[in-house]
Amino acid sequence: MTMNQMKTGDFATVQRLDVRGGARRRLQDLGLIEGTYIECLQKSPLGDPVAYLIRGAVIAIRSDESSRILISEKTS
């Protein structure tokens, strides 16, 4: 399952990043590495970007990037 499939209030753990180059480095710098616990906080009115709680910080990530972040099975 991918991060963009999460609904508001869901929790999950990052399993893998399917991103290369600068985009991968940027996501890693934001704290998205294997084993990171994330929570989907809220979606913008048009659905993109989405706010996630990652390592104590609220970070908005666009759907095109979050669709390439593989997560564990989500839980509410």
Side-chain angles (χ1 to χ4, degrees), residues 1-4 12-20 23-24 27-28 31-38 65-73:
M1 143 177 293
T2 58
M3 195 166 152
N4 68 328
T13 304
V14 175
Q15 297 297 312
R16 187 179 65 190
L17 300 179
D18 268 347
V19 183
R20 302 277 182 250
R24 180 181 185 86
L27 291 171
Q28 289 174 328
L32 286 165
I33 57 173
E34 184 177 325
T36 299
Y37 187 72
I38 56 176
E65 291 180 329
S66 63
S67 67
R68 294 186 266 160
I69 301 169
L70 299 166
I71 59 171
S72 65
E73 190 168 323

Side-chain angles (χ1 to χ4, degrees), residues 52-64:
Y52 298 94
L53 183 62
I54 302 170
R55 297 185 181 263
V58 177
I59 299 172
I61 301 177
R62 296 206 175 274
S63 183
D64 63 330

